[in-house]
Amino acid sequence: MRYKSKAELLEILEKGIRKKEKDRQFNLRNRDYVKRGAIITAVVVFVLLIILNLCSFVADIVILIYPFIAILIIVIISRTYTIALKKNQYKLYMMREEKKNLLEEVKISEKYLVAKELLEKYGSSEDLLPDSNSTNNVHSNFHRSTTINVE
């Protein structure tokens, strides 16, 4: 496996973050649609059970138990989506933290022009401001990369 540059790692992280954000939006919408569908289906089936009970095809116990079963199914569906959303949110948080740490590393270790370009492309406006800890390192890297020959 070849060594990946910080720019490549930032690009991969940025794509991953965008994908996770899209997945989160999709899961939120999908959860609502599935929940609504389950509730509507439960109501329709309950009405059918009442009609069948009036025709003496279904026992009374089924009508008494059915609402609890329907609620249990709806709760399970809701919990499943909630767990998936929490996992997605955690992964998104970890990716953002990794990106933040990588940007801090870029501020410290890369040459000034490269660091500025990466921070403008992948960082926020807060990242462009130098930290008090990393200011000296960034400027020292800048001065090292722009030595002038005086003869």
Side-chain angles (χ1 to χ4, degrees):
M1 187 170 128
R2 79 176 185 87
Y3 172 77
K4 294 188 180 192
S5 70
K6 289 181 176 70
E8 290 173 329
L9 291 174
L10 284 168
E11 182 67 30
I12 291 168
L13 278 172
E14 189 66 31
K15 285 180 182 177
I17 288 171
R18 278 185 264 148
K19 184 181 181 320
K20 288 291 177 193
E21 287 171 346
K22 285 181 184 177
D23 288 348
R24 184 176 183 277
Q25 292 297 324
F26 174 78
N27 283 341
L28 283 171
R29 281 193 309 264
N30 199 28
R31 177 188 65 181
D32 293 339
Y33 293 144
V34 170
K35 250 171 101 172
R36 277 190 222 122
I39 291 170
I40 290 169
T41 303
V43 169
V44 168
V45 170
F46 189 67
V47 169
L48 287 174
L49 285 174
I50 290 174
I51 292 170
L52 290 174
N53 185 21
L54 293 175
C55 299
S56 299
F57 291 124
V58 177
D60 291 338
I61 191 75
V62 173
I63 292 179
L64 292 175
I65 293 174
Y66 179 76
F68 298 109
I69 295 172
I71 290 171
L72 180 66
I73 291 171
I74 292 168
V75 167
I76 289 171
I77 290 170
S78 180
R79 295 290 162 105
T80 303
Y81 274 98
T82 302
I83 290 169
L85 285 168
K86 283 184 180 180
K87 282 183 182 179
N88 189 15
Q89 190 67 25
Y90 177 74
K91 288 178 183 177
L92 187 60
Y93 170 77
M94 293 305 290
M95 291 174 87
R96 284 182 178 150
E97 284 297 312
E98 187 177 350
K99 179 182 168 187
K100 180 179 162 187
N101 292 338
L102 196 56
L103 286 173
E104 286 297 321
E105 190 177 317
V106 164
K107 283 183 191 178
I108 294 170
S109 66
E110 292 294 327
K111 294 179 181 176
Y112 178 76
L113 295 175
V114 174
K116 183 178 177 191
E117 179 185 327
L118 290 174
L119 289 171
E120 285 175 352
K121 186 172 181 182
Y122 299 109
S124 64
S125 59
E126 298 168 358
D127 293 328
L128 292 174
L129 300 174
D131 291 342
S132 59
N133 298 340
S134 64
T135 302
N136 295 334
N137 292 332
V138 170
H139 291 301
S140 66
N141 284 341
F142 175 70
H143 291 297
R144 266 189 257 137
S145 67
T146 56
T147 56
I148 300 173
N149 286 332
V150 178
E151 294 181 16

